[in-house]
Amino acid sequence: FFSLSLTPSIQTYTGTILVAVNPYKELGIYEQKQIDQYSGKKMSDVPPHVFATAESAYSHLQNTTKNQSCVISGESGAGKTETTKFILQYLCAVTSSETRWVQQQIVEANTVLEAFGNAKTIRNDNSSRFGKFIQVCFDKQFTIIGCVIQDYLLEMSRITFQAADERNYHVFYQLIAGATADPELKRAFEVEKAKTFNYINQSGCYTLDGIDDVKMFENLRRAFIVLNIGDDMSEGLFKTVGAVLWIGNLQFEGVDDGEACKLTSNDYEIIDRIARLLGLPSDHVVKVATHRQILVRGSVTDIPLKLHEARENRHAMAKALYSRTFAWLVAQINLCTNPGAEKGRFIGVLDIFGFENFTVNSFEQLCINYTNEKLHKFFNHYVFALEQQVYSEEGINFSHINFTDNTVCLQLIEKPPKCVLKMLDDECRFPKGTDTSYIEKQNDALKKHPNYVRHPDKRLLLVEFGVKHYAGTVMYTVRNFLEKNKDVQQEQLFNFMRKAKNPFVQDVTRFQDVLSRSLDMAKQQAGASGRERAASTGSKSTKGKLTVGDTFKQQLVALVEVLDLTNPWYVRCLKPNSVKSANKYDDELIITQLRYSGMLDIIRIRKEGFPVHVPAKTFLDKYRCLASRDPTPLPKDEKQAAARILRSMKLPETEWQIGKTKVFLRQTVFDPLEERRKALLHDTIILIQKYWKRYVYRKRYLRMKVAAVKIQAFVRCQIHRIRFLRKRRAAIIIQAQWRGFIAREFVAELRRKRKLEEEERRRRLAEMEEKRRREEMEEQARQEKMRSEKTVEDSFVAAQRELYSLARMAELKSEKSMPSSKTDDLDAMFAFLKEKPPTVGGEETSFVNQIQSELDAMFQESQPKPDGSRTMRRKRRVQKKLLGLAEDEDAKKEEAINVQDYSMLTYAEKWYNDHPKDSGGLGTLTLRRKGKSLRGDAVPKEEMIRYSKSSTLATSLIHMHDPENVNVACSIFKDLSKFMRGDLKPDQVNLTIQSVIAYGLERPELRDEIFCQLMKQMTDTPKPEYTMRLWHMLCLCVVAFPPGKSLNKYLQAFIRRHFDDASVGRYAVWCLNTLRLTKATPRQLPPSSMEITCVKNLNNLICRFYFLDGKAKAIGVDPSATASDVLRVLADKIELKNVDGWALYEVNPEHEHYIRGYEYIADILAGWEREKRSSIQLTKYMTVSKKGHSQAMGAGDSKFVFRRRIFRNPKDIPQDPVEYHLIYAQAVHSVVRIDEFPVDERVALQLAGLQAQVTWGNFDEQNQDRYVNVQEYLPERIFATKAADHWIRAIAIAHKEYGSGKTPIQAKVWYLTSVKNFNLYGSTLFFVVYKGYWSYPNKLFITVDKDGFKFVNSRTKAVMAEFAYSRLENLAVDIIDMAITFNMKTKSPEEQKYFTFETPQKDDLAALIASYSPHHSNIVRVGEAKLRRSRVTEEERSKAWEEVRLARKLLADRNLLRRPSDSSGGFLTTTLRRYNKAKLERLQKQKERSEER
């Protein structure tokens, strides 16, 4: 039946009824894999499982018009709640391809209901103390759209009392655990430890094994969010739960021998807590706790409560608050998951209490067993009647089924006028009714009823009574029956609650009459017919109020009516033992549960009847194989074929019957059939496996054979390839030796010729005495210069050697004195600073000289000795080589453009539009007759390339495809004419220049048009000042954007023609030099006013560039210079040998921006002018040149800063002293200015001592003013902790102790060696804010270095996490928001895949990562429109236009294409685009007059 020890077979079928045993352990059979296995399958095709039952209900809902229901029953601890969750989980998973919000809400509703309605009992750690019926509603596509929940009989007594080893409802313990973990919640909800509260410390059980109440509390709060319970309501609800706990701690004390009561001293503090939690005044809470109100003749009178009444009233208050809170939650869930108008199609899931029989049974057990009696009757009617119906429909010969009928028992409980519930309600309405009076009347009235049991012991006759249920007799104790049956309204409390400050407490007063609301809900579920019957069966009188028993009875009536309208599916849950232990089976307990659930009757009927029902077609498909050896074919009729198979197996005919559509078998027939079929399948499978293995191994052998042949071929190929490579390497060596021999001959000849030329020059100098003396003086000066250069070079080499030796010695000493890089005390490392550094240089010099002499000797030995014919061949080769060099030089000279071949007239004839003659300065307008060409009346191209006094153009000079660009071209020509003539105001000149260039930058099609207009107006210009202005504009345009490919050489030729012009020649040379500079991109912004002025004077932009050592350098920047160009110039100025890793930064108060190598410095200056920054203004600076003061830009709120950006090898020692000084200055800046490293006070003073030694030299006790600027030596984080006088003394002491006696270069070496010990050295820090939730602070640094990137604490500089570049998949930069996302490569789902940060330096951060790791240079731009357009050059566009024009002309000549009508006067469309209506009318009149002539 069941196997509980090793296999997970904990479920089986009895017909369609699923029987499931609680295994008390995790089996892993309810995962997505099992959901996929059972989805869409029939119940008979898969093993028994609760998913199969859910799938059958779902498929019947789709295929029939009848609603479905799943009835789950069993004892406490049998697994009903978990089975309900599994059914809901399955329905949510199979009804939608993707998770919907309402499905998540249904799942989270279980979380809330379990917290407030489940508790630990002796039998079950998660026992549901209420019943529920969940209607899961579906739309027309059979997708879940909502659900409706009806709750039944919440156990109220558990709120105030728990037995030993039991717990109150879970929410109390979850609230206390969550508030204990979060002090803020603890203050808000005012809860203490669990042992403090009387309502939960009675049993001594506070925790559950394997359950974390803190985590469960977090899940509960998350479920509130999913169910749309706002923060204010959630907070008010938890405060109400806390108030219930504090109510249980009220004690009271008697007054006047117990006739009245008052609060104790501790009670007043508790009352204040309750009042704060509920949002009520304290006096109101005191009044509710100590007085009751009665209505006498229309007036309300307050009567003090007696001591025992006050304590009972305390429990009533707690029960009223908690029960209304539970009702509010159920209503909120129904409101959130309300399916709307789609309630008619549903699957109901009933999780109801099982039959209970304890040592002491009270009112709750009576209601629970009454429920099981009601459902058992419905179950009998469905199961046994259905079995009888199947036999009748199939025509099976079988006697009538007998089963237990419990109708009499139900009548005893519910049928008026004499029944248990009716008499209990009547006694509750009696003014002085008691439990004793109730049982006396009931014993007298029901003593003759066959199912009513009077207690045989007279001592217990008025204490207990019994009922004979279908599962056995149960004795009920009537103590507190009347109290539990009454619904205490607590009207005084709810009146005060309606005015509470707590919004939840105000809203929960809607559920004061909770019984009426529950009854209305049940009637709504039952439908219209159900409402009529429920109303007819109710016992409520017009004068009385609803009781718990009366309400519960009507709810059951409505529930049965709903189930009666559905197709039920039953799940019977059993528990294997009472100790909640896995792998333990209690036979007696199982038999008892089977008897209570009615399963023994079903098993009996199945055993007596034919338990196996197989459709005839399925029977043939399954067992046809058993008749395969019979030569006689089976009959075509399915029933005859099935009978033939059964008879052939010689099975007794009394054990099977064949109905109309099914085959009915007993187990004695079914088992042999299965065994024979299994044996046959086993033999067949072995045969199939034999042939399959033969096929697999043969295929494997053939594959190995082919692989062996391929390997052999590859090996042979490699052998021949190695031979070939050896031969080729030998040939290359021979060729290299031969070419080297030829080159040496060539060099020797060059040296010989150079020697001859030197002798000839000396002979000429000897002839001229005056020149000889001058040459001697020059030679003397030259020698002096060489000696000085040699001295400088020697000093530089010595400095290099000293720097290397000191740095190496520092590293060795630091390694010995600092075993750990994390030490905070550098005394050990600085202890050797007083040692004298060793001298270096002698050994290196001798070694270099030795190597040089050996190389010279080798070179002399390798020179061939010329003799005979070999010498002649060598001379011919050398002469031929020299002749080739001369030819290359001549070719370079002839490479210049021939200006005659590239005249503007040639370009105009090829690319210019035809312009009509008109009165605008290009001739007189004449109209041609219809059908003639415009060529005769068009303006000649010679006129179109010369100056025009008119300020308008009919259309653009060159053809353009965009009509808007044509209009803009005409507007530009008008602006250029005004600029040329000087008609603009002074403040409009720069604006006009910037506007024209901005058009060229924004519209590439206009660039050649602008150049052509400028060249047109500069040709034959009448006034020199016109020419100067136009050349000024041309210089600015050449800087901003290049000409098109078709115009480039024509523009260069035009510029070359003006080289000899005295007035504009210098502009021409400047323009040509700028054109020859190849740039990656055009400018981004039009020129600034300062750039316009500098270009006018052909001067450079004087900009100031700052270094981190406090110095600045002002240099001239060409307007076309990029950042990389300026970087090289700066390096030459400061004699920095290598610029690799160095960069320029734009620093302003808002941000720090890395200037990329291709960005133009002039663009940044233009941006400063747009933002109105003070740095664009010229300011004076000091210089050591003889010119004195000068002026430069970049001294305001924005600056250019030169510093190291990339540290490829941070630990390497630079050989260049200039570079070493700059790195030292950057290290000081990192330590003092921006505080990048986690230095403490001691280390900071040690570094400050070295820095003072570099700055001031040896310590001088008389000059203490050197250290007044403390911020120059210590980071703000440290010097802000104490007074300035303290730090001045401390820095002086550090200077004396750690710096004195060292040269500046020694101090720099030890400063850098110390800083390099920090693990953040060589990294660039970016301040970011993390967008999301994680365990680290949201504000942090991201550091980027050669190995990867790290997340660093912004306060302590501690590394929180670090990643190599191999862990990074890609970067995504949001171009709209200041956000950057790191997309990581994860190895497991638990690892975080995305990190999103917010920083204004997102682009610099991404660019730096791409610089270190080129693999990540492909950065995703989020928010950027991904439009893929093919770029077409102007030359390709013009060529295509010309081909279209020629093709149209050819078609028109062959009469294949009609020529356009002459209604427009024959002009081209581009020409007429500029004419308005009045001008067209004037042209039409002139045409008519010409035709009349």
Side-chain angles (χ1 to χ4, degrees), residues 386-632:
L386 181 62
E387 188 78 8
Q388 185 74 43
Q389 181 181 355
V390 170
Y391 289 163
S392 300
E393 290 177 353
E394 292 291 329
I396 299 301
N397 184 19
F398 189 76
S399 60
H400 182 74
I401 299 175
N402 296 319
F403 56 88
T404 305
D405 189 2
N406 63 337
T407 303
V408 178
C409 182
L410 279 174
Q411 291 176 352
L412 170 65
I413 298 173
E414 69 176 3
K415 186 177 181 181
K418 292 183 179 182
C419 65
V420 173
L421 293 179
K422 174 63 176 174
M423 298 183 72
L424 180 61
D425 291 344
D426 293 342
E427 195 66 23
C428 288
R429 295 185 180 96
F430 190 71
K432 295 184 179 181
T434 62
D435 296 331
T436 304
S437 61
Y438 156 67
I439 195 172
E440 285 180 350
K441 296 177 182 178
Q442 183 171 278
N443 286 336
D444 293 337
L446 301 176
K447 59 184 177 181
K448 296 182 180 180
H449 197 284
N451 283 61
Y452 185 79
V453 178
R454 296 177 60 181
H455 203 285
D457 190 348
K458 292 184 178 181
R459 293 173 298 177
L460 299 177
L461 184 63
L462 300 180
V463 178
E464 294 181 357
F465 72 93
V467 177
K468 295 180 181 179
H469 294 283
Y470 72 93
T473 301
V474 179
M475 300 303 295
Y476 298 99
T477 303
V478 297
R479 181 183 178 186
N480 295 329
F481 255 45
L482 269 65
E483 179 185 352
K484 294 180 179 179
N485 191 40
K486 295 177 183 179
D487 179 31
V488 181
Q489 295 291 324
Q490 289 287 326
E491 294 182 359
Q492 184 180 3
L493 173 62
F494 280 95
N495 289 335
F496 288 143
M497 286 169 57
R498 290 185 178 90
K499 301 177 182 179
K501 297 179 181 179
N502 188 330
F504 173 79
V505 174
Q506 281 188 350
D507 192 49
V508 84
T509 56
R510 296 186 290 119
F511 299 89
Q512 179 179 358
D513 192 2
V514 67
L515 295 181
S516 298
R517 295 184 68 95
S518 299
L519 186 57
D520 293 339
M521 181 70 183
K523 292 178 180 180
Q524 290 176 5
Q525 286 188 325
S529 60
R531 281 197 299 270
E532 293 174 1
R533 287 192 292 271
S536 64
T537 56
S539 62
K540 175 183 175 182
S541 66
T542 57
K543 296 182 180 179
K545 297 180 179 179
L546 282 174
T547 61
V548 175
D550 186 32
T551 303
F552 187 64
K553 181 181 73 172
Q554 296 186 49
Q555 284 181 315
L556 282 182
V557 171
L559 174 62
V560 172
E561 290 175 357
V562 173
L563 295 177
D564 193 39
L565 299 173
T566 63
N567 181 32
W569 301 84
Y570 287 94
V571 178
R572 297 303 197 196
C573 298
L574 306 177
K575 61 179 183 180
N577 55 74
S578 299
V579 294
K580 298 179 284 189
S581 175
N583 304 327
K584 185 175 181 180
Y585 194 82
D586 187 344
D587 294 344
E588 183 178 353
L589 180 63
I590 286 290
I591 294 299
T592 302
Q593 293 177 81
L594 291 175
R595 183 184 305 110
Y596 287 172
S597 61
M599 296 302 298
L600 292 180
D601 286 341
I602 297 175
I603 295 171
R604 174 181 58 80
I605 294 171
R606 286 279 181 177
K607 185 177 180 181
E608 294 175 357
F610 298 92
V612 181
H613 307 171
V614 184
K617 186 177 184 305
T618 304
F619 183 87
L620 285 179
D621 294 339
K622 189 173 182 180
Y623 300 107
R624 186 187 298 272
C625 59
L626 298 178
S628 59
R629 296 180 182 178
D630 190 351
T632 306

Side-chain angles (χ1 to χ4, degrees), residues 225-287:
I225 297 173
V226 174
L227 294 172
N228 298 333
I229 299 176
D231 292 341
D232 54 345
M233 286 296 180
S234 174
E235 183 179 354
L237 188 148
F238 286 125
K239 285 184 177 180
T240 304
V241 174
V244 171
L245 289 174
W246 283 111
I247 288 172
N249 283 18
L250 293 175
Q251 296 298 324
F252 304 103
E253 60 183 2
V255 179
D256 298 334
D257 297 331
E259 293 301 321
C261 69
K262 67 175 183 178
L263 299 174
T264 65
S265 57
N266 291 333
D267 288 345
Y268 284 104
E269 182 181 352
I270 296 174
I271 287 292
D272 292 338
R273 288 177 181 260
I274 297 171
R276 286 195 298 271
L277 291 172
L278 296 179
L280 297 174
S282 298
D283 56 344
H284 288 181
V285 180
V286 172
K287 188 173 182 180

Side-chain angles (χ1 to χ4, degrees), residues 202-408:
Q202 303 171 31
S203 62
C205 179
Y206 303 105
T207 59
L208 295 177
D209 295 337
I211 301 298
D212 185 359
D213 284 328
V214 176
K215 185 176 181 181
M216 298 302 292
F217 184 68
E218 294 175 357
N219 295 340
L220 177 61
R221 298 181 70 185
R222 192 179 302 114
F224 280 172
I225 297 173
V226 174
L227 294 172
N228 298 333
I229 299 176
D231 292 341
D232 54 345
M233 286 296 180
S234 174
E235 183 179 354
L237 188 148
F238 286 125
K239 285 184 177 180
T240 304
V241 174
V244 171
L245 289 174
W246 283 111
I247 288 172
N249 283 18
L250 293 175
Q251 296 298 324
F252 304 103
E253 60 183 2
V255 179
D256 298 334
D257 297 331
E259 293 301 321
C261 69
K262 67 175 183 178
L263 299 174
T264 65
S265 57
N266 291 333
D267 288 345
Y268 284 104
E269 182 181 352
I270 296 174
I271 287 292
D272 292 338
R273 288 177 181 260
I274 297 171
R276 286 195 298 271
L277 291 172
L278 296 179
L280 297 174
S282 298
D283 56 344
H284 288 181
V285 180
V286 172
K287 188 173 182 180
V288 173
T290 59
H291 291 75
R292 62 186 177 91
Q293 291 181 344
I294 60 174
L295 184 64
V296 179
R297 298 177 182 179
S299 61
V300 177
T301 303
D302 293 331
I303 299 177
L305 294 174
K306 298 178 182 180
L307 180 59
H308 72 278
E309 291 176 343
R311 291 175 177 173
E312 292 298 329
N313 181 61
R314 168 192 60 185
H315 298 327
M317 289 171 57
K319 293 177 181 178
L321 284 174
Y322 192 84
S323 62
R324 272 61 174 186
T325 300
F326 187 81
W328 186 92
L329 284 171
V330 174
Q332 178 64 23
I333 293 172
N334 288 333
L335 178 65
C336 184
T337 60
N338 185 14
E342 299 286 345
K343 293 184 180 179
R345 189 181 292 105
F346 66 86
I347 294 178
V349 181
L350 178 62
D351 177 10
I352 204 70
F353 353 76
F355 189 87
E356 293 185 354
N357 187 1
F358 302 140
T359 304
V360 178
N361 300 288
S362 186
F363 178 72
E364 291 85 359
Q365 281 68 44
L366 175 64
C367 293
I368 289 172
N369 294 338
Y370 168 51
T371 303
N372 282 270
E373 289 284 356
K374 198 79 173 175
L375 294 177
H376 187 68
K377 180 178 181 180
F378 177 76
F379 173 75
N380 290 342
H381 171 74
Y382 171 75
V383 174
F384 301 130
L386 181 62
E387 188 78 8
Q388 185 74 43
Q389 181 181 355
V390 170
Y391 289 163
S392 300
E393 290 177 353
E394 292 291 329
I396 299 301
N397 184 19
F398 189 76
S399 60
H400 182 74
I401 299 175
N402 296 319
F403 56 88
T404 305
D405 189 2
N406 63 337
T407 303
V408 178

Side-chain angles (χ1 to χ4, degrees), residues 1070 1094-1095 1097-1103 1115-1119 1193:
W1070 195 90
C1094 291
V1095 172
N1097 300 323
L1098 297 184
N1099 293 333
N1100 288 337
L1101 299 165
I1102 307 301
C1103 297
I1115 63 171
V1117 178
D1118 189 88
M1193 291 180 288

Side-chain angles (χ1 to χ4, degrees), residues 19-57:
V19 182
V21 177
N22 188 349
Y24 288 120
K25 63 179 179 180
E26 295 289 339
L27 295 180
I29 59 174
Y30 302 101
E31 308 297 335
Q32 185 63 39
K33 176 182 177 182
Q34 283 74 26
I35 293 176
D36 298 336
Q37 176 184 353
Y38 284 87
S39 178
K41 301 295 192 312
K42 293 182 179 180
M43 184 180 288
S44 58
D45 297 338
V46 288
H49 200 285
V50 68
F51 287 167
T53 301
E55 173 61 30
S56 298

